[in-house]
């Protein structure tokens, strides 16, 4: 009998995924990854990911499924690979994607190593995506979920062939309403629990306040300037602004202006107009390719530069072993350094990388 390690957040998705795998005949063990203490991130509330409530919900589901349940403490890895990367990105003028880092370095690296140590066969998560083995290519493929409104393939582009071969996504062919119905029919305590929306360790969405509190640093004020260098006002610390931002600038301007660039060396935030935010090409590094080992010649794909964007037609060229050049057919708005660009061929994830 195959053995499965069930990654359980306490939410409805991972709970139903666990039920489906158990019903498929796997020998199952449920686990929750404790990633931080709320006090460490400046919150005393239990209303964040990894809270006592979440752990108890996951434990209750495992009890109902009659499977063992454990809590693994991965706090050291989470600090290094997710929180520290998040802070470093903002300090260096980028816009991070901590959910991708969590998948890359925690769920499908640290947790999968634990799976092997325990002599188990698969890690199971509640992600909405599909994995298929292509006999002609002799490769595992990552594909979009059938429910396009819940598809999470974008945040999973870093999965390797070895990881895909030991991962199960039971929800890939279900829609959310079906998942909630299954949870209700099985009496799960979290059947109607709302989905988490924010970055788990910044539950109030105030990223700059979190960074200042966590690091103890003060990020000094500087100047807002236009593209000609004219001073427009004073900003409140460069980590508070992202490319494309219009609201919250605190300026009285004759026309709407947006953050177009950040000059870290001179502590300036450069503002422009909407048309200044569009660009047709990007470079990406830290790449991972799934449907092929390398891109040997220019390839037609669709690609997106943020999670909730609709994919756009583009041509990708692999210019170095770890660098992609992507040219879009139409200019794209507010391409942000530090975000992921993910490429598709139909519903198959070709791969992706971090925007330079």
């Amino acid at each position: 009998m195959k053995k499965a390690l069930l990654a359980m957040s306490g939410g409805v998705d991972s709970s139903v995924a666990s039920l489906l795998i158990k019903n498929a005949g796997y020998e199952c063990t449920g686990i929750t990854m404790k990633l931080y203490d709320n006090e460490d991130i400046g919150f005393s509330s239990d209303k964040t990911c990894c809270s006592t409530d979440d752990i108890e919900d996951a434990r209750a589901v495992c009890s109902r499924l009659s499977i063992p349940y454990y809590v693994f403490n991965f706090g050291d890895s989470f600090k290094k690979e997710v929180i520290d990367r998040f802070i470093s990105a903002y300090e260096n003028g980028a816009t991070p994607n901590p959910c991708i880092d969590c998948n890359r370095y925690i769920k499908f690296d640290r947790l999968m190593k634990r799976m092997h140590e325990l002599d188990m066969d698969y890690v199971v998560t509640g992600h909405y995506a599909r994995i298929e083995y292509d006999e002609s290519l002799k490769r595992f493929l990552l594909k979009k979920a059938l429910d396009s409104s819940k598809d999470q393939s974008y945040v999973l582009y870093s999965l390797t062939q070895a990881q895909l071969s030991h991962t199960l996504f039971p929800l890939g062919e279900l829609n959310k309403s079906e998942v909630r119905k299954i949870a209700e029919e099985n009496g799960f305590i979290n059947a109607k629990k709302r989905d988490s929306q924010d970055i788990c360790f910044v539950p109030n969405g105030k990223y700059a306040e979190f960074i200042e509190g966590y690091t103890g640093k003060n990020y000094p004020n500087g100047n807002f300037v236009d593209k000609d260098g004219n001073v427009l006002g004073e900003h409140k610390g460069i980590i508070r602004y992202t490319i494309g931002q219009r609201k919250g600038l605190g300026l009285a301007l004759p026309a709407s202006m947006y953050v177009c660039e950040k000059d870290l060396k001179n502590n300036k935030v450069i503002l422009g107009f909407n048309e200044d935010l569009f660009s047709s090409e990007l470079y990406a590094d830290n790449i991972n390719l799934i449907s092929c080992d390398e891109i040997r010649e220019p390839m037609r794909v669709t690609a997106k530069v943020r999670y909730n964007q609709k994919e756009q037609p583009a041509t990708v060229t692999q210019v170095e072993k770890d660098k992609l050049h992507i040219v879009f057919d139409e200019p794209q708005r507010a391409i942000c350094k530090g975000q992921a660009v993910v490429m598709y061929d139909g519903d198959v994830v070709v791969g992706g990388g971090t925007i330079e």
Side-chain angles (χ1 to χ4, degrees):
M1 184 184 292
K2 293 289 188 181
K3 299 179 181 179
L5 194 61
L6 314 173
M8 304 183 71
S9 66
V12 66
D13 293 331
S14 58
S15 298
V16 171
S18 300
L19 169 72
L20 296 175
I21 291 298
K22 178 154 191 294
N23 288 349
Y26 291 80
E27 181 182 327
C28 296
T29 299
I31 69 98
T32 296
M33 297 175 291
K34 187 161 181 59
L35 303 177
Y36 53 81
D37 291 317
N38 287 339
E39 293 75 19
D40 293 341
I41 63 166
F43 282 86
S44 57
S45 167
D46 267 352
K47 300 304 180 187
T48 62
C49 177
C50 313
S51 72
T52 305
D53 287 351
D54 292 324
I55 289 171
E56 290 311 312
D57 287 351
R59 194 188 307 278
V61 169
C62 286
S63 176
R64 197 163 186 88
L65 295 176
S66 300
I67 61 175
Y69 174 74
Y70 302 96
V71 177
F72 293 167
N73 190 337
F74 288 162
D76 55 343
S77 296
F78 190 77
K79 178 186 181 303
K80 176 185 176 186
E81 303 292 2
V82 181
I83 295 180
D84 289 354
R85 289 176 185 273
F86 176 86
I87 292 169
S88 176
Y90 270 111
E91 289 181 335
N92 287 283
T95 303
N97 201 317
C99 295
I100 288 176
D101 287 338
C102 188
N103 285 326
R104 187 172 206 155
Y105 299 109
I106 309 299
K107 289 188 182 80
F108 299 104
D109 182 20
R110 184 77 191 272
L111 183 59
M112 194 157 279
K113 286 175 182 173
R114 185 68 60 90
M115 176 207 77
H116 287 300
E117 290 166 4
L118 296 171
D119 197 27
M120 303 182 86
D121 302 292
Y122 294 101
V123 164
V124 179
T125 75
H127 285 103
Y128 287 82
R130 293 176 292 154
I131 298 170
E132 293 179 7
Y133 185 74
D134 187 303
E135 277 290 348
S136 62
L137 296 173
K138 303 297 182 188
R139 299 182 72 85
F140 286 91
L141 300 179
L142 175 65
K143 305 180 78 172
K144 295 179 192 173
L146 292 190
D147 183 350
S148 59
S149 69
K150 297 298 293 181
D151 174 56
Q152 292 174 294
S153 59
Y154 174 86
V155 296
L156 297 165
Y157 81 87
S158 64
L159 284 167
T160 65
Q161 288 294 303
Q163 290 166 342
L164 288 164
S165 71
H166 289 282
T167 300
L168 299 174
F169 295 141
L171 305 187
E173 298 191 4
L174 300 177
N175 60 46
K176 186 70 180 208
S177 60
E178 290 175 303
V179 169
R180 288 206 184 275
K181 184 180 179 185
I182 292 169
E184 287 191 39
E185 289 172 348
N186 286 273
F188 286 175
I189 192 171
N190 52 17
K192 297 183 178 179
K193 190 173 183 178
R194 70 179 184 89
D195 294 340
S196 57
Q197 300 292 333
D198 301 309
I199 293 172
C200 66
F201 55 91
V202 195
N204 66 1
K206 297 179 179 178
Y207 306 140
E209 285 185 14
F210 165 77
I211 293 171
E212 288 173 334
Y214 193 86
T215 63
K217 294 181 184 177
N218 175 47
Y219 298 89
N221 294 6
N223 286 328
F224 284 116
V225 299
D226 64 18
K227 301 192 87 173
D228 295 322
N230 299 307
V231 175
L232 302 173
E234 186 176 73
H235 70 68
K236 297 179 179 178
I238 210 159
I239 63 167
R240 296 180 184 277
Y241 307 96
T242 57
I243 304 301
Q245 180 177 337
R246 177 177 67 87
K247 295 181 179 179
L249 302 181
L251 298 176
L253 298 167
S256 294
M257 297 189 78
Y258 303 80
V259 175
C260 290
E261 193 179 336
K262 292 189 277 188
D263 178 353
L264 298 177
K265 182 179 178 182
N266 297 302
N267 193 26
K268 293 178 180 178
V269 175
I270 300 159
L271 304 182
F273 299 102
N274 187 57
E275 57 268 26
D276 297 321
L277 290 170
F278 287 83
S279 50
S280 296
E281 60 185 309
L282 63 83
Y283 287 89
D285 61 6
N286 201 17
I287 71 172
N288 182 63
L289 298 175
I290 296 177
S291 64
C292 56
D293 280 324
E294 62 178 320
I295 297 171
R296 294 182 175 87
E297 55 188 33
M299 179 181 181
R300 290 293 293 170
V301 295
T302 58
K304 60 181 183 177
V305 296
R306 60 183 60 86
Y307 179 76
N308 57 4
Q309 182 192 22
K310 188 177 185 297
E311 300 122 54
Q312 302 296 316
T315 300
V316 58
T317 306
Q318 188 170 353
V319 292
E320 295 175 16
K321 184 177 181 181
D322 192 33
K323 185 172 286 191
L324 301 173
H325 180 214
I326 296 176
V327 180
F328 290 94
D329 290 8
E330 300 289 338
Q332 302 300 303
R333 188 179 186 278
I335 296 175
C336 292
K337 171 185 171 183
Q339 288 281 286
V341 57
V342 178
M343 306 169 295
Y344 294 84
D345 179 6
D347 64 352
V348 174
V349 176
V350 176
T354 304
I355 297 168
E356 288 186 345

